[in-house]
Structures are given as C-alpha cells and as structure tokens.
Amino acid sequence: MLLSRTFRPGEDLAPYIRRYYIFEAELPDEMVIEDFLLSETAFIRILLDGDWKGEVEPGVWDRPSDTLLFGANERPFPVRVKGSFKVLGIAIRPCGWKALFPWPHHKFRDNLFPLSELWGDLATTMEAELKAADGDDAIIACMEDTIRARLAQVGTHETDDAMAQLEGIARTDSKMLVEEVASRAGLSTRQLERRCRDTFGLTPKAVLRRSRFLDMATAMRGFSSPSETDLAALRYFDQSHLNKEFKRFTRMTPKQFEKAVTPLQTAGLKLREESLYED
C-alpha cells in the first residue's frame, strides 16, 4: 500500500517552497516498480528507506546519494523502486529558485544531482538529522530549519513576482498564450523566456504545454472533476495531437496510459491536485 502525506510550508518559507511530502510504501522485498516522474518543479528528495534509482542514462540506473536535487521534467524521468521505501520531498517554487540555487534551473532539468555537491555540509547534516527524526513533526521541522539555513547562506532571499504569476497561470489556466502571459507579467516574450528557463528550467511554452497535459492526466486518473467547458478546453485539436502529447510526456498512447499501472506518477498527480487547494 502506498501512503502519502503533504504539508504546507511555514509562512516565511511559502515564497520558496510549494510543499513538503512524505511518501512511503510497504511492499514485498522482491517487488519492483518501474514508473516515471513528470515534475513541474525542482524537488529535493531524501530516501530514508528502500532501494530507489533513476535512469540517469539510457539503460543506466543509479542513485548517487540518498539526498538528491531533481530538476523539473520536460520529459518523463524513469524511476525504479524495489521493495518497501520511504521518501521525503521538498518542492521548490520556481519564483524562489534563485534564493536557494544560484545557478540557472535549466542546467538541472531532467536530471538528478547529489545535494551535497550543491549545498555542502548543510545537505549532509540534514540527511543525518532526518534519518534520526522521530515522527512527521520532527521531519518537517528539520526540513524547514535547513531551508532557512540555506536562505541565510545564499543571503539574497530573492523571489520573482513575474514567475509567481506564471506559476499561478500554469496551475489554473494552462491554455493561455505565451504572449498574454508576458503582457500580464509586464515583460517582453524574450525576457519571459530567459527568466522562465532560469527558474522553471523550461521555456514558457513548454511549462504551459506540460501543465495542460498534467491537467488532462489528472482528470483521466479521477483526481479532478472539471466542468464540461473546462474539459473541452483541455482537449486537443485531434487524435493525432492527443497521441503526440501523450507520447511526449508518458511514452504511451492515451489508451495505454488509461490502462497502465503507474503508482508513483499517479501519486504525484494526486499530490499536485491536493496542493492546488492548499494554496
């Protein structure tokens, strides 16, 4: 059985953190789940228990550390889990990316990196404290303290209001044209694209395209109940277009996706829908 719990960040951290989660499963020791992630934000993921790996190159499965930074995904990122596991997560808001990571996000897209290579001893200390933590409250407190320490370490506390606008648009109106997004944010389309790649890791068009697909996938999995008008707006021009988008984001046709058992990706969709109503 897969169990997940989500937690909102403290008020002072809300500009930087979308949410925290705890995701665990009791599974037979030899059971292997192969699935994929399609994350809208960068995540810090900490493995507390289990055998969890990502496909870092075609056919190469690895976990270079128990505490990793995952860049946001433009394509499905294959993952493999064997037996029971417990994973913690910290979802980084794009508008707060630069306050925590002084490098362009697109350098981390569709890949994973040991957090200790980026945050040094702070990441190592957090991992040790989380593995010793007793209960959810202690886990969340440790992650929050670490984020505050990192903000102090970088020192800018920089947020991007235009990217916060794009976050909201992507989550609530993924059909909006890029030109309109730029106009609402008071930016040229070129400025919007540069800042989006620096914070989201992708172009604005790719962000909206991925979000539109996730809106549709969430409805297909039964986690949302869009009105007929909203659902009609989400639908694609024709079957060929629909197939193309599903192949891009899942490597499956829509019919294959409907029938596929994707517990990790499905849990991500559920968390996404729940967090929409937490904001």
Side-chain angles (χ1 to χ4, degrees), residues 169-190:
I169 290 168
R171 292 168 65 83
T172 59
D173 191 1
S174 56
K175 307 171 295 301
M176 189 178 292
L177 297 176
V178 170
E179 292 78 10
E180 185 175 352
V181 176
S183 177
R184 290 194 182 193
L187 301 172
S188 69
T189 53
R190 181 170 293 183

Side-chain angles (χ1 to χ4, degrees), residues 32-272:
V32 175
I33 296 174
E34 287 196 9
D35 205 343
F36 68 92
L37 306 176
L38 189 64
S39 298
E40 293 178 283
T41 71
F43 272 88
I44 295 170
R45 290 187 170 96
I46 305 101
L47 182 70
L48 293 190
D49 185 39
D51 183 357
W52 190 106
K53 293 178 181 178
E55 190 177 30
V56 294
E57 296 178 22
V60 178
W61 299 84
D62 192 18
R63 186 185 75 250
S65 171
D66 283 349
T67 300
L68 297 163
L69 172 71
F70 285 70
N73 301 127
E74 186 173 23
R75 303 280 183 172
F77 186 81
V79 293
R80 175 187 290 167
V81 179
K82 182 179 179 182
S84 300
F85 65 90
K86 184 173 184 178
V87 177
L88 313 178
I90 304 172
I92 310 297
R93 291 190 63 184
C95 67
W97 166 266
K98 289 186 177 181
L100 296 166
F101 298 94
W103 308 280
H105 188 164
H106 65 82
K107 292 181 177 291
F108 301 90
R109 182 184 63 217
D110 291 316
N111 212 334
L112 52 80
F113 302 84
L115 189 65
S116 59
E117 293 183 0
L118 306 171
W119 285 10
D121 291 343
L122 191 60
T124 305
T125 299
M126 178 181 68
E127 179 181 311
E129 291 180 352
L130 286 172
K131 289 184 175 180
D134 183 16
D136 290 358
D137 289 346
I139 286 172
I140 301 305
C142 176
M143 291 196 288
E144 295 236 296
D145 287 347
T146 302
I147 296 298
R148 292 187 181 103
R150 177 58 179 173
L151 289 169
Q153 195 177 63
V154 175
T156 65
H157 290 71
E158 180 180 0
T159 58
D160 190 323
D161 290 343
M163 295 302 97
Q165 277 191 285
L166 178 53
E167 285 182 54
I169 290 168
R171 292 168 65 83
T172 59
D173 191 1
S174 56
K175 307 171 295 301
M176 189 178 292
L177 297 176
V178 170
E179 292 78 10
E180 185 175 352
V181 176
S183 177
R184 290 194 182 193
L187 301 172
S188 69
T189 53
R190 181 170 293 183
Q191 288 173 322
L192 178 68
E193 179 161 346
R194 176 180 57 79
R195 282 162 67 170
C196 190
R197 290 182 76 244
D198 282 351
T199 56
F200 281 82
L202 286 71
T203 65
K205 183 176 181 180
V207 168
L208 294 170
R209 184 178 180 182
R210 178 190 57 197
S211 188
R212 184 185 181 192
F213 165 78
L214 288 170
D215 289 340
M216 178 63 79
T218 300
M220 289 174 66
R221 286 289 190 247
F223 296 131
S224 65
S225 301
S227 68
E228 282 301 314
T229 300
D230 289 341
L231 189 58
L234 284 175
R235 291 192 178 106
Y236 295 94
F237 303 123
D238 52 36
Q239 190 64 38
S240 176
H241 188 199
L242 181 66
N243 288 342
K244 180 180 178 181
E245 293 302 277
F246 270 80
K247 283 286 189 179
R248 175 186 180 88
F249 291 117
T250 70
R251 299 177 182 165
M252 292 180 270
T253 66
K255 287 186 178 180
Q256 288 171 331
F257 178 76
E258 283 185 317
K259 297 176 181 178
V261 178
T262 58
L264 305 181
Q265 190 270 344
T266 299
L269 291 175
K270 184 173 184 290
L271 294 175
R272 178 182 189 264

